[in-house]
Amino acid sequence: MPRLVLILAATVLASEKTYRLRGTIAANDVLGDVSELATRAEAVVNGGEHRAFIQKDGSFVVENLTLGDWLLEVASADYAFPKIHVHIATSEEGRASVAARYVQIGTEWSEDAPVLAYPLKIEASAKYDFFTPRQGFSIVAMFSNPYMLMVGASLAAIFIMPKLQANLDPETLKELQNKDE
Amino acid sequence: MLARLALTALTLAACLPGARALFPDEAGRIDWYRAQIGAPTALIPHTHNHTALLYAATQRNVVAALRAADGQLAWRHVLDGPISAFSVRDARVLTQSGANHSHVHVWDAASGGLEWSFAQPAPGRGAVFVRDCADVIALAGDALVRLAPGSSEPAWELPLNRTAAYSRIVVHNDAVFAIGDAPQTRSAKRRLHVVQVDAATGALRKQYDTAEGIALRGGSVVVLESREYGAYMVWREPENIVWYVHRLGLTAPMWELYHAKLVEIELMPPDMLTSTIAELDIDAGLNDNTPRFSLSYSKDGKSKSVVVEMFRDGDRLEMRKVASFLADGSAIAASPRRSVVAVRPTDTGAAWRVRGGDKHAGDYTYARSAYGPVARAALVYVGDEPRVVVQTRSGQLAALRPGSSEPLWTRNEALGHAADMAFLTLPPPASAAEHAAKETDPSVQPSPVARYILRWVATGRALVEWVAAGFGIASGDRPALAPTEGDHFGFRKLAVFGASTGAVTAVSSQDGAHAWSHYLTHGRTPVRIERVFVTRSSQALSTDAPVIVAAGRARNATVVAAFDALTGRVLSEDTLPLVYARAFELPATDPATGQRLLGFAVAGAEPRVAVWPPTADAARALCAHTAPLYVELGDQAGSTAVHGYRVACADVTEPWLAAEPAWEFALPAGETLISATRYEHGAQHTALQGRVLGDRSVLYKYINPHLGVLATQRAAGGIAVYLIDRVSGRLLHSVVHEQAVVSRAHPFVATLSENRLVYQFWRGLPAGYVTAVAELFESDRPDTRNESPAVSSLDLQLPSVVMAAFVAPEAATALGTTRTGSSITTRDVLFGLASGKLLALPDALLDPRRPMGAPTKDEQAEGLVAYAAPLPLDPRRVLSHGHAVAGIAHVRSAPTHLESTALVAAFGLDVFFSRTSPSGLFDQLSPTFSKANLVITSLALVAGCLLGAPMVRRKLTTRAWA
C-alpha cells in the first residue's frame, strides 16, 4: 500500500525538533453536532502525555510530538471514538511525514491496515448507552411467572379434572376408585 | 483478527455475570455529582447576550464561567498546569497555562469552545490581548511573541535575553511593554526593568530600569492601562512618602507626576510608609479608560482603603478618589461599571458596600468558623441589580444581593481540594411513631419494645387517616430526613471531606446535602488537611456522639481537631509540635473518651510515634494492647529504603512512644520508590477462606493484613513491584515490568483488597495501559494450607502468587474496590478514568486464573472464562454514566446494611457518589419485580378460591347424599 506522505508543521527546539498533529472530528450519524464536544472531550496522545482541546468546529492540534509512534485517542464522556496509531517519520529529504492507522488495543499494530488521510478526520463510532431500559408490562412475562403457573395448574385441577372424570366410562371410573381404595 | 476480537468480546459478554446497569430513572436518584472548579485566584465579571457571567481562574488549574443568577457552571476546562494569565475581552477568554511548557488558549466566552491555541516550550509568564484585534502577546520563558488566530506560527518572536524576571505585559497602541524585576546585585538595588517593543514588528525599541527599590509583587506598585491616556506605573519608594507616576516608554523625564498627596489623602509619614496599593481592574477589559487602584492604609488606629481612578484633565494627569471604605481585612473588587465593592468581616460574617457609581450595602450572615474570613470579592450585575460574590478562605463562594443577608446561591469549592474523605455510618432514623411520640412526650426512650408498640400505634393511626382521606395519599407529618439522619439500609452515610484549604465539610452520601463545615487554622494559616478519621462510630442507643477527626499540617506543626460528627461542634483541637511522616489509626481506644487512638509517626534521628489524644493515659492504653505495634517509615515517593520500627512501651509518661529499629527493606541499587499501597480500612476482610475449584478442592487465600506493596522506578528502565510484610520487613514476592513507564502523565495506581492486588501502569506502545492482577494463595496446591497454629508475620510462609496482565481500556488516575458488609458479595474493581468515567469491572473479568484456551469442564464449574487481553469498556458498567468526573484522585467504597450493595465515591476535583451491587440485588426485590403481577396473581388465587368453594361444597353435598 502506498504510504501517504504529508508535510507536518515543525517547530524547532533547542534540543529536539517537535511536530504538530492536526485532526478534525467530523459529524456523522452518531454525532451530528461536533460543537457539543468542545467542552466535553479532548484529544489525548499516549494516554495523557499530550492533550489538546477540541475547537468548536471539531478541529484539534496536538503540539510537541517528536518522531516516532503515538497513540491518538479522543477522550469523551459520551461518545466512543476509534483509536489511531500515528507514526511520524522523516524522509530522506528531511521532510516529515505521518502515517496514521486505526488500531485495536491489545493487538499488534499491523502496517497492512489502510493509512488514513491527513489531516486526520475522525468520526464517532458509537454513543455510549449507559442505561438498561426497564421492562414494561408483558402478558407473556406475566404468564411465565411461577405464581401464574401455579394458579394455572390449580385452576386446571379444579375446572378440567372433573370434566375429564365425567367423560370417563363409569366402569373405568369405578375401577380407578377401587384402585384408590 | 478483528473478527476474532469481536468473537472474544461476545464470548466474554455471554459468560460474565450480567452487568447490573443503571435504569434511566435511577440516574440522579441513587447517585449525585457535583462539578467543582476549586478556589478561584481571579474572578472577572462580564455580560454576554444579557447573561451575567463570572469568569474564574482557580488554584486547581480550572478556567470556568459561572452564571451569576444561579451559580451554575456555564462551562469549564481543566487546564494542563498553573494559570499564568487570565483575561476576558470582546467575548473571548484568554488563558496561559502549563508547568514546564505553556499553552495560550483563547476561548469563546459564551460557550467555552476553544477558538485557537498556541504552545510554547517554556513556562508562561503572562499573556494579554492586543486591543481591537484578536491577537495575543504572550511571554513564555524568555520569548515574547505575537500570536494571531488561525496562524500556526507567531507573527514575530523576540528573545528577551533574561535581563529580568518578566511577569507583566502591557500593550498600548503600537508598543508592547514587558515589565519585570531586574536582577539584584551588590551594586544595583532592587528595581524594575522595562522593555519596549514595536507591536507590529517585534523590534526592540527601548529598555530601561526604573522604580528603584520596588518589586512587582510587593504591594507598592500598580500598572494602570488606559486606552485614551496610555499605560502608567504608580509606585511609592520604600521609606519615602512621595508617589511617582511613570508613563511607560517615557524616560525623559522619568516621572510624569511626583507628589506626596497624589490620592487626595493626607497621611502622616508613618501611616503612609505602611500603606499598600493594589490594582483593581485586574483585567484591562473591565475599565478601558480610567483604570483604578486601591490604597490601603491605617489612620488613627483604623484600617481604611480608598479607591482611586486615573484620568486626564487637559494636559494634566490626575488621580481622584472614587470611594473609601473601612478596610480591616477587606476585599475590594471592581466591576465593568464604575462601581466598586468592598467586603469586610464583621462579628456576624461580613458586610459589603458598593460605591463609586451605584450605592448599595448589605450583610452576609455566616459563621466565620465554618468558612473562614473573606478572601476575595466580585461585583457583577444581573440586569441592573448588583450581585456581590464573596469568596472565603476555605473556598466557599456565596452570591448576595441588596436587602438579604442570606446568599442567593453558594458553591462549596473546598470540595475541589479534598485530600481525604471518611464515611460515617449514621444512626437509623426515628420511626414516624417515635416522631409522633417525641412531639407529645420527649422523654420517651427509643427502646425496642417501645418502638414496636409505637410503630403499631402510628401505623394504625396512619391507616385510619388514609381511610378518612378517602384512600388518598396520607399527609403524614414526618419531617424530611436531615443530612445527619441515617436510613434503615445504610445508604445514607455522612461523608466528611478534609481539604487542603483547611475546610472540613460533611455532606450526605445520599444526595450531597450539606451537614456542616469548619475552617481549621493554625493562627491565621489554614491547616493543610491530609487525613480524616472516624474515631468513634455511631452506636445504637448510645448517648455518645460519633466523632470525626481531621489532621493536617500547618507550618512546622500538626493540627488535630475532633468534631461531633452530627453537629460539627469542635470537641477538641490540639496542636502537636511535630511534622509527621504518616498518620494512622492505632488498634486501641482512649480510656477517657472512648475514641480510637491515632498515631503520628515522626521520622528523624529519634523516630517516634505521637499518640492522639495527646495524653500519657492514651499512650498507656496503646501499650496495654497485647500485640506489639510496628510502623514503617520511608515509604514516600523518592525514598530508597523503607524502615520498620517496633513501638517501645517502657515507662510511658508522655503522649508519645519511642520507635526502635526492627527491619530495613533497602531497594536494589538504582531504584527509587514511586508508590506504597496498603489495605484501606477493612479491605482485607473476607468471608471465604478459599476458592472452591471445579473439582471441589480448595485453594486457600493468603490473607495478611500487614501486606504492603511497594512500586519502584528502576534506573535501568521499567518498574518493580514488591510485596512485603510490614511487620517483619520480609519480601513476599516481587515482579519487574521492564517496559513500564511511570511519570506525571502516566501515574502508577493500585488497589489492594482481600488476597488480590490490582495495579495499572503505562507499558508503552502498542500495549498502552496495562492492568496487572496478582492473587495470593497459601499454596499452589489445592487443599493445602499453612497449618501453623499461630498466624504470625514473624513466622510466615511465602504466598503462591498467580498473576495475569490485561490491556486496560483507558488511563486510570485512581483505583478502588467495592466493599460490602460481610464481604460475601464479589468485589468490583473501580477504575477512576482520566476521561472522567468511574468504571466498575467485575471480579471474574480480572481473575488471573482465567485459562488461556477454552475452559475445561472444571474451569467452567469454577466460573472461569477464557482469557482475553483487552478489558472492555462496557458503558453499562460506567457508574458515573454521562457525567465527566474531572480529576478523580481517590476512589472509595463503604458497605451498607444490605450485603449486596456498596457505596462508592470518586473525588479529587469533582465529586461523585453512587451505589452499586456487584452480584446483583440478591437481597432486594429485583428492580424488574412487578408488584402488579403479584397483586393480580393473588387476586386470581382468591377469585379461584371463591369460585371453587361453592362448587366443592356442592360436590361434597351431592356425594354425601349419594
Side-chain angles (χ1 to χ4, degrees):
Chain A
M1 177 156 298
R3 183 186 171 90
L4 188 67
V5 179
L6 286 153
I7 307 304
L8 287 175
T11 306
V12 181
L13 284 183
S15 55
E16 198 173 8
K17 206 168 183 180
T18 61
Y19 302 87
R20 291 191 188 100
L21 179 71
R22 294 180 185 279
T24 303
I25 294 172
N28 61 2
D29 292 344
V30 175
L31 170 62
D33 180 12
V34 292
S35 68
E36 69 178 88
L37 290 181
T39 55
R40 307 241 333 144
E42 281 183 3
V44 178
V45 168
N46 276 18
E49 274 176 42
H50 302 273
R51 290 177 175 275
F53 292 99
I54 292 165
Q55 299 185 22
K56 285 188 291 184
D57 61 357
S59 63
F60 61 86
V61 182
V62 185
E63 306 270 0
N64 296 330
L65 299 185
T66 52
L67 296 178
D69 293 300
W70 302 94
L71 176 66
L72 172 69
E73 297 167 278
V74 178
S76 162
D78 312 296
Y79 294 91
F81 287 87
K83 296 174 193 291
I84 296 175
H85 166 216
V86 176
H87 179 72
I88 302 175
T90 49
S91 62
E92 287 175 2
E93 302 88 52
R95 305 177 80 185
S97 69
V98 63
R101 297 177 176 89
Y102 289 132
V103 288
Q104 291 277 340
I105 56 164
T107 61
E108 287 298 324
W109 291 352
S110 162
E111 295 214 345
D112 297 339
V115 176
L116 305 174
Y118 186 85
L120 300 169
K121 190 176 160 192
I122 308 172
E123 293 182 356
S125 53
K127 187 173 188 346
Y128 290 129
D129 181 9
F130 301 104
F131 304 110
T132 301
R134 275 198 192 278
Q135 287 176 357
F137 179 77
S138 158
I139 196 81
V140 175
M142 195 182 92
F143 280 102
S144 58
N145 186 312
Y147 296 123
M148 291 306 288
L149 292 177
M150 279 167 54
V151 170
S154 307
L155 291 176
I158 293 168
F159 291 106
I160 300 171
M161 289 297 283
K163 301 233 181 296
L164 285 177
Q165 279 187 346
N167 288 340
L168 280 177
D169 179 44
E171 284 183 9
T172 319
L173 189 63
K174 211 168 192 178
E175 240 173 60
L176 284 172
Q177 280 172 351
N178 288 341
K179 237 182 214 174
D180 286 347
E181 284 163 16
Chain B
M1 180 186 64
L2 290 180
R4 206 179 66 197
L5 272 174
L7 190 66
T8 312
L10 276 175
T11 313
L12 267 177
C15 296
L16 288 171
R20 160 71 177 91
L22 281 174
F23 296 114
D25 54 291
E26 286 180 321
R29 192 165 55 79
I30 68 164
D31 58 32
W32 59 274
Y33 163 70
R34 204 161 284 170
Q36 304 283 149
I37 59 172
T41 53
L43 290 166
I44 300 176
H46 223 78
T47 299
H48 290 290
N49 299 332
H50 308 293
T51 304
L53 294 166
L54 197 58
Y55 295 93
T58 76
Q59 293 174 25
R60 295 303 316 268
N61 309 336
V62 169
V63 57
L66 302 174
R67 284 199 294 264
D70 56 11
Q72 294 298 308
L73 271 180
W75 55 264
R76 173 188 71 167
H77 290 289
V78 182
L79 303 180
D80 53 345
I83 298 172
S84 46
F86 177 50
S87 178
V88 184
R89 189 82 59 86
D90 300 334
R92 292 189 183 90
V93 178
L94 164 69
T95 57
Q96 184 189 40
S97 60
N100 301 322
H101 57 277
S102 60
H103 276 99
V104 168
H105 291 109
V106 176
W107 314 93
D108 176 60
S111 69
L114 179 65
E115 296 206 337
W116 58 276
S117 65
F118 189 83
Q120 289 177 278
R125 293 167 180 270
V128 293
F129 280 116
V130 178
R131 252 181 240 276
D132 302 326
C133 76
D135 289 7
V136 168
I137 305 287
L139 178 64
D142 207 26
L144 189 67
V145 292
R146 178 167 181 150
L147 310 169
S151 172
S152 58
E153 298 300 326
W156 51 258
E157 181 168 355
L158 176 71
L160 294 180
N161 298 329
R162 300 186 191 281
T163 39
Y166 300 98
S167 58
R168 185 67 192 260
I169 305 170
V170 179
V171 183
H172 183 69
N173 292 341
D174 59 348
V176 177
F177 301 95
I179 309 166
D181 295 309
Q184 201 174 349
T185 60
R186 281 183 186 174
S187 57
K189 278 187 173 179
R190 176 190 290 179
R191 67 211 180 283
L192 299 181
H193 185 76
V194 179
V195 174
Q196 184 178 349
V197 178
D198 187 299
T201 63
L204 181 68
R205 281 189 189 165
K206 186 189 283 185
Q207 53 181 326
Y208 58 91
D209 287 349
T210 187
E212 195 168 276
I214 298 295
L216 263 180
R217 298 191 189 280
S220 49
V221 61
V222 290
V223 180
L224 305 175
E225 300 176 52
S226 166
R227 171 193 285 266
E228 203 175 332
Y229 312 139
Y232 289 83
M233 279 202 303
V234 178
W235 73 90
R236 184 180 52 73
E237 283 183 354
E239 311 303 324
N240 193 344
I241 63 167
V242 176
W243 293 90
Y244 296 81
V245 179
H246 162 67
R247 181 169 184 155
L248 287 171
L250 198 66
T251 49
M254 185 64 90
W255 311 298
E256 186 161 337
L257 265 179
Y258 173 85
H259 207 290
K261 203 186 158 189
L262 182 71
V263 292
E264 300 180 23
I265 300 284
E266 195 157 352
L267 291 176
M268 296 299 287
D271 295 337
M272 183 62 91
L273 291 178
T274 55
S275 65
T276 57
I277 53 176
E279 287 168 35
L280 276 188
D281 295 305
I282 51 169
D283 182 40
L286 281 173
N287 188 342
D288 251 5
N289 269 338
T290 53
R292 295 159 290 191
F293 66 96
S294 67
L295 168 74
S296 297
Y297 60 94
S298 183
K299 189 177 181 184
D300 304 328
K302 286 187 176 173
S303 294
K304 292 186 178 177
S305 287
V306 289
V307 174
V308 179
E309 77 177 7
M310 183 182 81
F311 70 105
R312 190 172 276 277
D313 184 11
D315 288 342
R316 287 182 51 200
L317 191 74
E318 298 276 357
M319 302 281 172
R320 69 177 160 221
K321 191 167 72 176
V322 178
S324 62
F325 303 102
L326 282 174
D328 195 11
S330 283
I332 302 178
S335 74
R337 302 185 182 193
R338 285 180 56 80
S339 313
V340 290
V341 64
V343 184
R344 72 182 172 84
T346 63
D347 292 341
T348 56
W352 57 268
R353 286 173 71 210
V354 174
R355 292 290 182 270
D358 302 351
K359 283 192 175 181
H360 300 282
D363 294 316
Y364 171 29
T365 306
Y366 77 99
R368 228 180 307 164
S369 61
Y371 301 112
V374 174
R376 186 168 284 101
L379 177 60
V380 57
Y381 284 84
V382 177
D384 284 329
E385 196 177 345
R387 296 276 188 275
V388 176
V389 177
V390 177
Q391 178 190 343
T392 65
R393 288 275 167 81
S394 74
Q396 170 95 347
L397 292 176
L400 306 155
R401 63 178 168 180
S404 173
S405 61
E406 289 295 317
L408 271 176
W409 53 261
T410 59
R411 290 183 65 91
N412 189 356
E413 291 303 334
L415 293 181
H417 295 258
D420 195 14
M421 186 271 289
F423 279 109
L424 175 84
T425 302
L426 292 165
S431 66
E434 284 163 350
H435 274 293
K438 278 177 181 170
E439 272 177 17
T440 52
D441 181 8
S443 65
V444 172
Q445 292 298 314
S447 74
V449 176
R451 275 210 296 267
Y452 186 74
I453 295 167
L454 286 169
R455 190 185 308 146
W456 278 106
V457 171
T459 306
R461 199 181 296 160
L463 185 66
V464 170
E465 275 179 20
W466 182 56
V467 172
F471 304 99
I473 297 168
S475 61
D477 50 3
R478 182 176 168 157
L481 289 181
T484 51
E485 214 167 359
D487 63 345
H488 295 291
F489 299 119
F491 295 163
R492 291 179 65 90
K493 294 184 192 293
L494 202 61
V496 185
F497 291 89
S500 56
T501 58
V504 184
T505 308
V507 299
S508 168
S509 69
Q510 173 91 351
D511 51 14
H514 178 262
W516 52 265
S517 289
H518 187 82
Y519 179 59
L520 196 58
T521 57
H522 177 54
R524 289 190 163 191
T525 311
V527 176
R528 194 154 44 88
I529 299 170
E530 293 179 343
R531 296 299 309 271
V532 179
F533 301 97
V534 177
T535 55
R536 194 166 65 202
S537 52
S538 304
Q539 301 286 332
L541 308 183
S542 168
T543 53
D544 292 336
V547 179
I548 290 284
V549 170
R553 301 169 198 272
R555 295 197 195 113
N556 289 325
T558 296
V559 177
V560 187
F563 303 91
D564 178 328
L566 301 182
T567 63
R569 185 170 60 90
V570 179
L571 301 175
S572 68
E573 192 173 322
D574 299 293
T575 302
L576 311 179
L578 54 89
V579 178
Y580 67 87
R582 201 154 67 79
F584 52 99
E585 288 186 356
L586 292 170
T589 52
D590 179 30
T593 62
Q595 292 183 52
R596 180 171 277 264
L597 300 180
L598 301 180
F600 293 88
V602 181
E606 292 181 2
R608 60 199 169 103
V609 174
V611 178
W612 184 92
T615 63
D617 283 347
R620 279 191 281 272
L622 174 63
C623 288
H625 187 257
T626 49
L629 181 71
Y630 288 82
V631 61
E632 74 272 19
L633 291 171
D635 58 351
Q636 71 278 7
S639 170
T640 55
V642 180
H643 294 90
Y645 297 89
R646 182 186 167 125
V647 175
C649 277
D651 300 328
V652 179
T653 56
E654 301 284 345
W656 55 267
L657 303 164
E660 298 166 350
W663 52 265
E664 179 186 12
F665 184 82
L667 299 177
E671 291 190 19
T672 51
L673 195 66
I674 49 178
S675 161
T677 307
R678 52 175 71 81
Y679 284 112
E680 296 260 340
H681 184 75
Q684 74 275 19
H685 293 163
T686 184
L688 298 167
Q689 291 296 312
R691 271 186 75 156
V692 181
L693 307 186
D695 60 1
R696 297 292 177 265
S697 60
V698 175
L699 265 183
Y700 287 96
K701 295 176 183 173
Y702 180 92
I703 305 282
N704 177 357
H706 305 298
L707 191 65
V709 181
L710 305 176
T712 66
Q713 179 90 56
R714 301 166 76 235
I719 63 167
V721 177
Y722 300 97
L723 274 65
I724 63 165
D725 180 86
R726 296 188 295 109
V727 165
S728 63
R730 195 170 161 201
L731 177 66
L732 303 176
H733 186 73
S734 69
V735 59
V736 173
H737 302 281
E738 287 180 351
Q739 289 173 299
V741 176
V742 174
S743 64
R744 194 163 166 267
H746 300 304
F748 175 91
V749 288
T751 178
L752 192 55
S753 158
E754 222 174 343
N755 66 327
R756 187 175 286 188
L757 167 69
V758 180
Y759 55 94
Q760 185 164 314
F761 56 87
W762 174 254
R763 192 179 174 271
L765 298 177
Y769 281 100
V770 168
T771 304
V773 186
E775 194 158 355
L776 280 64
F777 296 99
E778 291 193 1
S779 168
D780 57 355
R781 293 193 306 277
D783 296 331
T784 307
R785 63 178 313 181
N786 181 3
E787 297 297 344
S788 169
V791 179
S792 165
S793 283
L794 303 175
D795 181 27
L796 270 180
Q797 287 186 359
L798 292 181
S800 163
V801 181
V802 185
M803 287 199 72
F806 302 91
V807 177
E810 282 186 17
T813 52
L815 293 186
T817 314
T818 56
R819 278 187 58 211
T820 56
S822 303
S823 304
I824 296 169
T825 306
T826 57
R827 300 173 189 232
D828 277 359
V829 177
L830 304 165
F831 291 73
L833 300 180
S835 61
K837 302 180 190 78
L838 181 62
L839 175 70
L841 288 184
D843 214 26
L845 202 59
L846 293 163
D847 194 330
R849 284 176 46 78
R850 285 171 64 181
M852 297 304 288
T856 61
K857 273 192 175 178
D858 280 352
E859 286 166 340
Q860 283 177 357
E862 195 186 333
L864 297 176
V865 292
Y867 174 84
L871 294 174
L873 177 55
D874 180 355
R876 295 183 187 219
R877 294 188 185 277
V878 176
L879 302 180
S880 52
H881 46 95
H883 299 308
V885 187
I888 299 175
H890 307 275
V891 175
R892 299 280 165 78
S893 179
T896 65
H897 298 329
L898 296 177
E899 173 55 28
S900 65
T901 306
L903 298 188
V904 294
F907 61 98
L909 175 62
D910 290 355
V911 183
F912 175 77
F913 276 71
S914 187
R915 55 178 193 254
T916 186
S917 305
S919 299
L921 297 170
F922 59 79
D923 50 2
Q924 298 165 61
L925 284 178
S926 156
T928 56
F929 181 84
S930 170
K931 288 175 182 153
N933 274 3
L934 179 63
V935 170
I936 291 169
T937 310
S938 304
L939 289 177
L941 277 170
V942 171
C945 291
L946 291 175
L947 282 171
M951 293 163 68
V952 171
R953 266 201 304 275
R954 199 161 46 242
K955 188 173 182 183
L956 288 174
T957 309
T958 310
R959 189 181 288 175
W961 281 101

